[in-house]
Amino acid sequence: MVLEKRLDYVFNGYQVPKGSRSARGKSVARRKAEDNGMLAFELLATVAGKLLSGEGNDTLTNIEVGNSRRVIEEKPLKTEHCEWGRCDEGAFVSNVGSPRRSPKYARKNYISTSSGEVSCAPFKNSCVGKAKIRGNVGGFCNHSGSMLGNRNEGHSHSYSGSHDGKSGDLMEEDVKPSPALGSSDSSVEVPPYPVFTPKRSSFPNYLGRDDDENSSGCTQPGKVNAKKAYRPQRIGDRRIRRLLASKHWKAPPLTSTDGELSNTGMKPVYRWKKMCSARQRTGHQTCAPFKKRKLVGTCSTSTSEGGISSEYVSGPPEKFIKGEASDSIASVHGVHGASSSFAGQKSSTNSGDFRVKLNIKSFRVPELFIEIPENATVGSLKRMVMEAVTTILGGGLRVGVLLQGKNIRDDNKTLLQAGISHNDKIDSLGFTLEPNTTHAPPPLESSEQPALLLPCNASEPLSRLSASPVPDPVEVPAVSPDPPLAITGNFIESDHDSAPSPLEVSLDKTSPNSLALVPVPEMNVEALAVVPFHQKSRRSELVQRRIRRPFSVSEVKALVQAVEKLGTGRWRDVKLRAFDNAKHRTYVDLKDKWKTLVHTAKISPQQRRGEPVPQDLLDRVLSAHAYWSQQQSRLQIKLQSEACLLL
DNA sequence: CTTAGGG
DNA sequence: CCCTAAG
């Protein structure tokens, strides 16, 4: 099947390496929701995420022009200029070879980028199938290309069946399949989506916090910003993180290393989440869990089935499936196996037996415009591409199913009913993955993806895929009381323990530079002490809990002062008034602090912990609390009486 | 997004 | 601090 998209970049050959990964321990679920497996599109997204994440890096690591693959080192882009110049044919970015090999490059890229050498301007993509990378300096030309990555050294046969990538129409998009890609089999197209590539943003603050730091004291009453509401970006980040955590879908957003990314990615995600929850409430199975295990068990057939010519959309990259460690690989295979059944299935009339193996062979990203100086390094270019793609996909993906170019919208149709039962047709089966940017995800009751996978009947929840593709060797703040998300934790563990992730390895090698990758969040000294640094925050910290930052006396004082004036219940105002500069203090934090202050004031000094708060402040807390509580009750009474009068 | 509360 | 329900 071909996944058609309107992207420029085509990531081809996205296959799950057979048994390439060792199982990882299952992570402990931290949130209930997490246990429910992933959504269909999550699955796809995962694939995308994989591309973008650690392995994705690999993918992006090598840039191919035309068919010849070249591994570009970190040399100035200029050197490659000519090449690019003629690349009309297409640049291919691929991850060639085993995933574990390329990490170095990836790392390198990051480093270079982080150094700020490259500045990228926002780029946008057009819907047409060609992707372009433009050097604003004129260094680059546009190319349409595909990224070929075949990480599936072991599965090459799968590719056999590819067809022209022509895919049919892509729904509303005008995208036309770009024939250019040789194997457009399953190219995932992402609709054009404006992406902003942050300049050197690069690494998001740890925990998404922007840190203000010094300002912590922040008692700047005078400085009431008229600035609109206080919207801590952080919140957004947090949200994302949380979502990710709960959904296991860490990849994309997180992937982005840029804090900024959150802006773009966040919203969609948020909405998505909302939707999801809404549905759940409604009882929809929207989030139908795939159960990885089940997949494995049921689906896994031998991949060896040869004959399958069609492409498949593969399940989540093994990398992502970390949850059930031991199974992860297996599950992946299972998917493959499923496909194989598919092939053989023709004969089997049993709809029940029907199995489809899916692999995403190519992933095309819409046109991207990247502004980059000529003297930037190739590595930085790669990184930019990565960021761009990440941004595009960060909000999640919507899945569409195309059969012979026709979009199958009825999610309730069985595959057979939809005509996806024969080989001949399977060839024309395609998927569309669209960035789930602004709109809510389409009803995914049974999104196609799931449908395809369903044959496997998963009964167990899909193990949480660890979205976090890149196992960053994250240094977990010593302070962090609880392990980051189970997934994360797990991830980390495994990384440390046994199988070092590629990234990690590379990191080691690049140790000298590694620091560059680890932006130290700006924070006050105490905070630093706690969190030495965090390595390239990528997703691993996904769910990292914010570090604890005890309120200083001055902060308490400021808080008390503000509350005395504004009262309780107006935390946003309090924040604005007294903590506008303390980015790490959200109004919720202030509210919580007040709560604890009140409690502290009520208990005996012996029971208090932490930095002692001057008694006079505590007294003020109590009085203010009493005062405002009274006010509140009065107000209520007043309202009530008014209501009564009206009645 | 804000509040309010429970965890 | 986190998480959520509500508004």
Side-chain angles (χ1 to χ4, degrees):
Chain A
M1 347 181 120
V2 178
L3 296 184
E4 300 277 304
K5 275 16 176 347
R6 359 126 147 181
L7 290 204
D8 291 7
Y9 294 102
V10 176
F11 299 93
N12 271 328
Y14 184 72
Q15 286 203 344
V16 179
K18 189 172 194 172
S20 60
R21 292 218 179 236
S22 59
R24 287 202 164 93
K26 172 175 186 175
S27 12
V28 179
R30 180 179 171 181
R31 290 162 174 66
K32 341 115 195 199
E34 297 181 309
D35 297 325
N36 290 325
M38 68 198 297
L39 297 181
F41 62 86
E42 280 185 299
L43 183 61
L44 289 177
T46 298
V47 173
K50 179 175 187 177
L51 291 174
L52 300 175
S53 48
E55 305 209 357
N57 284 337
D58 297 339
T59 303
L60 294 173
T61 301
N62 301 304
I63 294 179
E64 293 189 17
V65 177
N67 285 323
S68 56
R69 157 164 163 232
R70 37 191 320 154
V71 176
I72 302 172
E73 289 290 342
E74 292 272 80
K75 41 188 166 184
L77 293 176
K78 239 177 177 173
T79 60
E80 294 291 326
H81 193 98
C82 322
E83 309 286 348
W84 288 93
R86 1 177 179 124
C87 34
D88 297 287
E89 301 187 354
F92 294 70
V93 176
S94 63
N95 60 329
V96 190
S98 98
R100 297 205 178 246
R101 265 180 236 153
S102 14
K104 289 174 195 168
Y105 287 111
R107 197 38 123 183
K108 258 182 167 183
N109 293 337
Y110 272 89
I111 291 172
S112 69
T113 315
S114 60
S115 59
E117 297 177 9
V118 184
S119 67
C120 19
F123 55 88
K124 62 179 183 177
N125 4 34
S126 68
C127 316
V128 189
K130 304 186 148 186
K132 335 205 144 165
I133 295 178
R134 285 189 180 155
N136 51 358
V137 190
F140 295 106
C141 51
N142 307 322
H143 357 260
S144 55
S146 63
M147 297 174 90
L148 300 176
N150 36 337
R151 2 170 57 322
N152 40 324
E153 313 159 311
H155 293 290
S156 37
H157 60 281
S158 315
Y159 287 106
S160 53
S162 335
H163 351 307
D164 54 287
K166 104 186 333 205
S167 43
D169 46 271
L170 301 184
M171 339 193 129
E172 61 277 14
E173 341 288 24
D174 1 318
V175 185
K176 16 166 97 255
S178 68
L181 319 181
S183 57
S184 38
D185 312 14
S186 20
S187 54
V188 177
E189 294 185 359
V190 179
Y193 177 86
V195 178
F196 169 68
T197 311
K199 206 159 200 170
R200 55 151 77 212
S201 53
S202 346
F203 300 99
N205 297 322
Y206 193 11
L207 311 181
R209 92 185 54 245
D210 338 359
D211 303 313
D212 53 315
E213 24 313 300
N214 32 4
S215 52
S216 39
C218 48
T219 331
Q220 314 200 4
K223 184 171 186 182
V224 178
N225 247 331
K227 227 191 254 177
K228 226 243 96 205
Y230 153 61
R231 289 156 189 202
Q233 213 178 23
R234 187 198 263 111
I235 288 179
D237 291 340
R238 251 183 175 170
R239 202 137 214 162
I240 290 178
R241 258 182 279 144
R242 204 173 71 203
L243 287 177
L244 293 174
S246 53
K247 295 255 149 197
H248 320 182
W249 137 256
K250 339 177 143 195
L254 311 164
T255 299
S256 68
T257 9
D258 321 75
E260 265 93 280
L261 212 103
S262 41
N263 292 330
T264 10
M266 183 156 37
K267 215 153 200 176
V269 175
Y270 179 58
R271 284 191 189 163
W272 173 55
K273 172 194 180 176
K274 265 182 158 178
M275 263 201 78
C276 240
S277 55
R279 281 189 189 167
Q280 288 182 321
R281 266 177 264 161
T282 335
H284 279 256
Q285 253 315 72
T286 308
C287 308
F290 287 5
K291 309 197 158 185
K292 173 179 151 191
R293 270 221 183 130
K294 204 127 195 208
L295 286 178
V296 177
T298 320
C299 304
S300 347
T301 9
S302 67
T303 335
S304 50
E305 292 261 59
I308 304 169
S309 50
S310 15
E311 333 308 14
Y312 313 96
V313 172
S314 71
E318 77 281 60
K319 197 169 184 180
F320 288 73
I321 307 184
K322 284 185 178 140
E324 325 268 326
S326 36
D327 300 323
S328 51
I329 293 175
S331 67
V332 173
H333 285 299
V335 175
H336 284 294
S339 71
S340 52
S341 319
F342 188 17
Q345 223 35 357
K346 312 184 230 183
S347 46
S348 134
T349 341
N350 238 331
S351 54
D353 290 20
F354 196 60
R355 297 189 182 179
V356 180
K357 171 184 173 181
L358 302 172
N359 277 325
I360 290 180
K361 290 214 158 176
S362 65
F363 207 80
R364 279 196 291 164
V365 178
E367 192 170 288
L368 302 177
F369 288 97
I370 298 174
E371 248 185 273
I372 185 171
E374 286 182 311
N375 59 347
T377 61
V378 171
S380 62
L381 169 62
K382 290 175 184 175
R383 185 172 182 247
M384 272 191 221
V385 171
M386 164 81 110
E387 288 182 359
V389 175
T390 298
T391 302
I392 292 173
L393 301 175
L397 298 171
R398 271 191 301 164
V399 181
V401 173
L402 297 174
L403 182 59
Q404 297 184 322
K406 189 177 175 186
N407 182 25
I408 300 174
R409 293 171 186 277
D410 186 349
D411 291 341
N412 297 315
K413 266 187 192 171
T414 63
L415 295 180
L416 281 174
Q417 292 176 321
I420 307 182
S421 56
H422 304 293
N423 271 342
D424 50 356
K425 289 197 176 178
I426 198 89
D427 287 343
S428 55
L429 179 59
F431 293 93
T432 57
L433 294 186
E434 298 181 27
N436 199 12
T437 57
T438 337
H439 6 296
L444 293 170
E445 288 249 308
S446 52
S447 61
E448 7 323 284
Q449 196 58 342
L452 291 172
L453 295 173
L454 284 180
C456 302
N457 300 319
S459 52
E460 296 185 47
L462 188 49
S463 54
R464 45 204 14 340
L465 311 186
S466 133
S468 111
V470 182
D472 298 332
V474 172
E475 293 287 351
V476 178
V479 178
S480 168
D482 44 51
L485 249 206
I487 295 176
T488 307
N490 206 338
F491 205 1
I492 292 173
E493 284 179 32
S494 55
D495 286 344
H496 288 317
D497 299 345
S498 30
S501 65
L503 256 184
E504 193 166 28
V505 172
S506 63
L507 191 65
D508 290 342
K509 299 194 173 176
T510 46
S511 56
N513 297 314
S514 55
L515 280 181
L517 296 178
V518 184
V520 177
E522 303 181 48
M523 43 181 97
N524 42 46
V525 181
E526 49 176 11
L528 284 175
V530 176
V531 184
F533 69 99
H534 94 262
Q535 308 239 13
K536 181 176 183 196
S537 65
R538 281 192 151 215
R539 21 204 166 316
S540 26
E541 98 258 343
L542 296 192
V543 204
Q544 190 68 257
R545 181 181 176 130
R546 288 195 303 158
I547 56 172
R548 183 166 172 268
R549 290 177 158 190
F551 275 70
S552 62
V553 173
S554 61
E555 284 180 300
V556 171
K557 190 172 179 181
L559 176 60
V560 172
Q561 218 166 65
V563 174
E564 286 174 332
K565 191 131 193 169
L566 303 172
T568 52
R570 296 177 61 192
W571 304 108
R572 195 185 78 107
D573 292 329
V574 170
K575 157 70 183 174
L576 255 33
R577 181 190 183 87
F579 294 79
D580 199 27
N581 295 314
K583 302 283 195 337
H584 62 295
R585 301 296 189 199
T586 66
Y587 42 73
V588 173
D589 292 333
L590 301 180
K591 183 262 298 174
D592 287 340
K593 179 57 183 172
W594 183 259
K595 183 172 64 176
T596 60
L597 277 176
V598 171
H599 177 259
T600 301
K602 290 176 177 174
I603 61 178
S604 65
Q606 296 78 53
Q607 300 177 68
R608 296 171 191 164
R609 291 181 300 175
E611 188 180 12
V613 178
Q615 188 57 46
D616 63 298
L617 274 179
L618 291 176
D619 292 339
R620 289 167 65 188
V621 168
L622 283 181
S623 58
H625 178 256
Y627 175 77
W628 289 107
S629 292
Q630 191 185 337
Q631 291 297 306
Q632 197 167 47
S633 56
R634 280 186 189 173
L635 185 70
Q636 284 192 342
I637 293 173
K638 187 178 177 182
L639 290 174
Q640 273 183 12
S641 59
E642 283 182 19
C644 288
L645 289 175
L646 289 174
L647 292 175

